[in-house]
Amino acid sequence: MTTTDAPKAAPPPTGKRRIGDVVFAGLARGSGLLILVILAGVAAFLVIQAWPSLLANTSNFLTDQSWEANTRENPSFGVAALAFGTVLAASIALLLATPIAIGIALFIVYYAPRRLAATLGYLVDLLAAIPSVVYGLWGMMVLAPQLVPVYEGMTRYLGWIPLFAGPSSTSGRTLLTAGIVLAVMILPIITAMSRDVFHQVPQGHREAALAMGATRWEMIRLAVLPFGKSGIVGGAMLGLGRALGETMAVAMILSPSLAISFNLLQSGNQTIAAHIALQYPEATGYGVSALIAAGLVLFTITLAVNMGARYVVARGNKESA
Amino acid sequence: MSTRTTQPPAPGSKTGGNKFDLRSGTLPRRFPAALLAGCAVVVAGVLTLFSSFGLILWALMTAVAYAAIIVATSVRVEGGRKAKDRLVTALVYGCFLVAMTPLVSLLYTVVVHGMDRFSPYFLTVSMNGVLPSMDAGGVYHAIVGTLAITGMATLLAVPIGVLTAVYLVEYAQGRIKKVITFFVDVMTGIPSIVAGLFVVALWIILFGPGHTNGAAGALSLTVLMIPVVVRSSEEMLRLVPRDLREASYALGVPKWRTITKVVLPTSAAGLTTGIMLAIARVIGETAPLVLTAGSSAVSINWNLFDGQMMNLPVFIYSQFRMGGAVNYERAWAAALTLVLIVMLLFILARLVGRFFSPKTR
């Protein structure tokens, strides 16, 4: 992220500690620590509530594909299919969004007319402001029907690739559609991160390239992209984290099935988050506890991805400093 | 390049030695724009001829035709490097347009479909006593719920978030600062549905299973809102010049008075912008509220601690799930209401940031 350099904390006035100072410092420190407590609470309560169903589970939680958890005894459920669908949908979104996001960031920073650049940036940010439930509505009612003929064409001409094997879905409510909508939703995140690093490219590097007679693209390839690499990777990973946890758009667009399928153009697959949202209202017996266990898996995956992203960005900042 | 310098100039060549003029071989400045317009007209003509004119198809084919022609001409006139540059320029502009397509399509659909049912009646009536398929009812109860839940979440998240930012900027040093900053980043990445599950788990422990109310929803939104408020407030507090703090200390003002009377007022506009953007971010959250605030309330409920509470995002979702024609109309109209509220917050936040922020230089 763009943190402007902190002014060094000024030395506190010496003398006796005033009561107001003590109270205010305590309040500030307290809220800082409260955040740590909340996070610990999130992890702890999820584990506590997931535990009973994991103990009672009669099949392997990590490798089983079925979901028979709504019973009072001997539930049998696993997250294998769900975790697979989650990762697949997020990967599609990432593959589609990253190149476009880099293009948009380059456009806003280096190509767009200076006076328009800020406004165009706001337009991209607007994509992040639209609620996911509205994306879901749009994806299901507008985008999916539009994609049906496209998918038919893809199965006809690209059907030899296993990912695009036919027959394609007649409703368009497939994992690829969900992936496309997720891509739109994570575009602004990746764009914002890339824009930030592109702005930080030292002017000297760029002007040196241009002075050697480089075209604008050569300047970008030689000076901008190597410098911005860590920011782009970090932004992409943050986008991946968002796509992994996105619920509503997937729940509304995908017509799900609990099986591992590589076929992107047929209905099927399901993500963890969407599964929780769809199953929760009908959960009985061990159901809620099992869903919380699934949520714990999602939490772990996104945590790992986000921490990786922060690490990459932090390392990049150190290198360029 | 190197071959050019070794070859003697071809005498009497038709290009008049242009090849060796450093300024030679550039397309006219207006050429790309003219070519683009030309492509657009020709493609439109061809498509109309085959009577298959569609806006997206037209834009797509125009872009492809433009890219192909400009690269081909550029290779002939300007050489390979310039041609590559032209191609990338076309691609980069294309990326931006590709990203704008869903935004325009989405806003257009929401407005067009939403207007069918969007009316003062729709905004001021609840769904109490309305059967799902009846041609009646509105979103008043959902607006009430959204205001109450988001309001409570804001009341909880803003003090915690701003105070944490104050702590990080003014007090914390060394290890604890790194730890809190890191975990705020981690918190930013919590999926919204997990925040919902956290409150579900907490509520089961506190009140037993099956309790849904507005306060639970507000708490889950608080978890999502805190890190956003911390991050934006931190940025704003760091922008306050050090001189201001030191001038205050020099006058013997205690640190806490300096923060409340100098630092916070100076950054007030920025803080407000950040908080409004955070509200805009959580006001559209659906997943945690489906889990915590319930999805079946139909009547107006102002009490956060008693019973299910409908809100706009969940209203859209539950109407969508019912799946009748009237339900879809309601869902679109509620989506229009929600998008209007979010846009309003977004624009207000920008205006506050632009007009009320102090001039730092």
Side-chain angles (χ1 to χ4, degrees):
Chain A
M1 286 288 193
T2 51
T3 42
T4 38
D5 277 344
K8 276 270 185 298
T14 46
K16 70 178 170 67
R17 295 274 281 165
R18 272 167 271 222
I19 185 82
D21 260 343
V22 176
V23 170
F24 192 78
L27 272 178
R29 174 188 289 263
S31 13
L33 296 179
L34 184 62
I35 288 187
L36 301 185
V37 172
I38 293 175
L39 253 179
V42 171
F45 290 127
L46 288 182
V47 170
I48 291 172
Q49 287 301 315
W51 202 246
S53 69
L54 289 178
L55 275 187
N57 193 359
T58 54
S59 47
N60 190 327
F61 179 60
L62 292 178
T63 56
D64 197 66
Q65 296 186 24
S66 64
W67 196 269
E68 309 287 337
N70 292 330
T71 59
R72 299 212 171 275
E73 48 201 29
N74 297 330
S76 159
F77 57 92
V79 286
L82 296 173
F84 174 82
T86 307
V87 172
L88 187 59
S91 313
I92 295 171
L94 194 66
L95 282 179
L96 292 174
T98 309
I100 296 181
I102 296 172
I104 299 171
L106 288 176
F107 173 77
I108 292 173
V109 179
Y110 296 118
Y111 285 84
R114 255 321 132 68
R115 268 182 304 162
L116 283 180
T119 315
L120 297 177
Y122 286 150
L123 280 180
V124 177
D125 287 345
L126 267 189
L127 278 175
I130 290 168
S132 58
V133 66
V134 180
Y135 272 115
L137 204 58
W138 173 78
M140 152 75 192
M141 312 274 283
V142 180
L143 185 64
Q146 296 261 344
L147 286 176
V148 171
V150 179
Y151 288 168
E152 275 169 11
M154 283 170 77
T155 50
R156 192 171 306 142
Y157 299 110
L158 297 172
W160 47 274
I161 303 173
L163 285 175
F164 304 133
S168 63
S169 156
T170 50
S171 64
R173 302 176 63 178
T174 70
L175 200 69
L176 187 54
T177 313
I180 292 172
V181 174
L182 288 181
V184 176
M185 297 176 74
I186 65 174
L187 261 184
I189 300 174
I190 308 179
T191 306
M193 292 290 285
S194 309
R195 265 170 69 192
D196 283 347
V197 287
F198 291 166
H199 273 303
Q200 287 165 17
V201 176
Q203 200 167 5
H205 290 196
R206 293 191 286 116
E207 286 176 354
L210 292 174
M212 299 296 285
T215 60
R216 188 149 50 172
W217 160 240
E218 285 162 344
M219 180 270 284
I220 288 170
R221 192 165 53 86
L222 295 170
V224 175
L225 291 183
F227 183 91
K229 204 169 49 187
S230 67
I232 297 171
V233 173
M237 289 180 77
L238 285 184
L240 180 66
R242 173 92 196 273
L244 286 167
E246 178 47 47
T247 314
M248 260 19 220
V250 180
M252 290 164 82
I253 291 168
L254 193 60
S255 67
S257 76
L258 283 183
I260 293 180
S261 154
F262 279 97
N263 207 318
L264 301 182
L265 300 185
Q266 296 171 5
S267 51
N269 279 320
Q270 176 66 307
T271 71
I272 295 179
H275 182 73
I276 296 171
L278 292 175
Q279 291 286 313
Y280 182 81
E282 288 127 41
T284 57
Y286 280 109
V288 174
S289 173
L291 290 176
I292 290 177
L296 201 57
V297 173
L298 178 64
F299 186 43
T300 317
I301 298 176
T302 49
L303 208 63
V305 170
N306 279 307
M307 280 161 75
R310 300 293 175 190
Y311 175 74
V312 170
V313 174
R315 207 184 49 178
N317 282 347
K318 211 173 280 169
E319 270 171 14
S320 66
Chain B
M1 292 290 271
S2 56
T3 52
R4 286 186 187 179
T5 48
T6 52
Q7 274 178 359
S13 98
K14 235 182 183 177
T15 47
N18 255 359
K19 234 177 161 186
F20 299 94
D21 183 356
L22 274 176
R23 279 157 42 77
S24 75
T26 43
L27 293 170
R29 261 193 72 200
R30 305 270 172 209
F31 181 74
L35 177 63
L36 186 63
C39 284
V41 171
V42 171
V43 169
V46 170
L47 283 178
T48 324
L49 205 66
F50 288 99
S51 65
S52 57
F53 188 87
L55 208 58
I56 292 177
L57 193 67
W58 172 66
L60 199 73
M61 288 184 63
T62 306
V64 171
Y66 168 78
I69 296 175
I70 191 112
V71 169
T73 27
S74 181
V75 164
R76 282 187 65 86
V77 181
E78 300 177 318
R81 289 172 55 217
K82 282 272 181 68
K84 206 182 256 178
D85 189 48
R86 299 260 182 212
L87 177 66
V88 173
T89 307
L91 279 179
V92 161
Y93 274 79
C95 280
F96 184 75
L97 293 182
V98 164
M100 284 302 104
T101 317
L103 182 67
V104 172
S105 161
L106 191 144
L107 291 179
Y108 172 81
T109 347
V110 166
V111 170
V112 167
H113 288 275
M115 288 314 281
D116 288 347
R117 194 160 271 271
F118 190 77
S119 64
Y121 171 82
F122 184 74
L123 292 178
T124 52
V125 178
S126 79
M127 291 290 288
N128 202 3
V130 179
L131 292 175
S133 57
M134 270 164 65
D135 184 16
V139 285
Y140 183 66
H141 62 310
I143 295 176
V144 165
T146 289
L147 289 181
I149 292 175
T150 322
M152 180 174 167
T154 310
L155 284 182
L156 288 173
V158 167
I160 298 176
V162 173
L163 275 173
T164 304
V166 166
Y167 179 66
L168 286 176
V169 175
E170 307 284 338
Y171 289 99
Q173 285 162 354
R175 191 106 169 253
I176 185 77
K177 182 173 178 179
K178 278 205 179 113
V179 169
I180 294 182
T181 310
F182 176 77
F183 279 105
V184 168
D185 279 348
V186 166
M187 213 171 169
T188 318
I190 292 184
S192 60
I193 189 116
V194 172
L197 283 177
F198 154 65
V199 176
V200 167
L202 180 65
W203 247 235
I204 292 177
I205 292 171
L206 292 179
F207 308 108
H211 274 270
T212 46
N213 56 27
L219 193 60
S220 64
L221 293 190
T222 307
V223 173
L224 294 171
M225 202 169 161
I226 286 175
V228 186
V229 176
V230 174
R231 288 310 306 230
S232 64
S233 310
E234 218 188 319
E235 297 276 319
M236 291 307 144
L237 293 178
R238 282 186 206 287
L239 288 179
V240 177
R242 201 174 137 195
D243 306 4
L244 285 182
R245 294 185 180 90
E246 284 176 354
S248 173
Y249 292 146
L251 293 171
V253 181
K255 188 163 185 177
W256 75 280
R257 294 283 285 176
T258 305
I259 294 170
T260 50
K261 291 288 176 185
V262 177
V263 177
L264 289 179
T266 312
S267 52
L271 293 178
T272 317
T273 305
I275 290 166
M276 289 173 84
L277 289 179
I279 297 175
R281 188 59 52 85
V282 298
I283 207 169
E285 281 297 346
T286 321
L289 295 181
V290 170
L291 268 54
T292 53
S295 53
S296 55
V298 290
S299 57
I300 300 158
N301 178 8
W302 276 105
N303 191 342
L304 279 160
F305 298 94
D306 182 34
Q308 298 208 344
M309 205 167 196
M310 186 46 80
N311 49 77
L312 280 170
V314 177
F315 181 85
I316 299 170
Y317 177 61
S318 55
Q319 291 295 328
F320 168 83
R321 298 274 291 168
M322 288 174 192
V326 184
N327 304 108
Y328 280 139
E329 278 183 29
R330 280 198 205 104
W332 281 116
L336 178 60
T337 319
L338 184 58
V339 167
L340 283 178
I341 293 176
V342 173
M343 293 287 160
L344 202 67
L345 278 169
F346 209 74
I347 293 167
L348 272 180
R350 297 287 180 207
L351 290 181
V352 167
R354 177 171 299 176
F355 290 113
F356 293 94
S357 59
K359 306 288 170 276
T360 45
R361 326 176 168 237

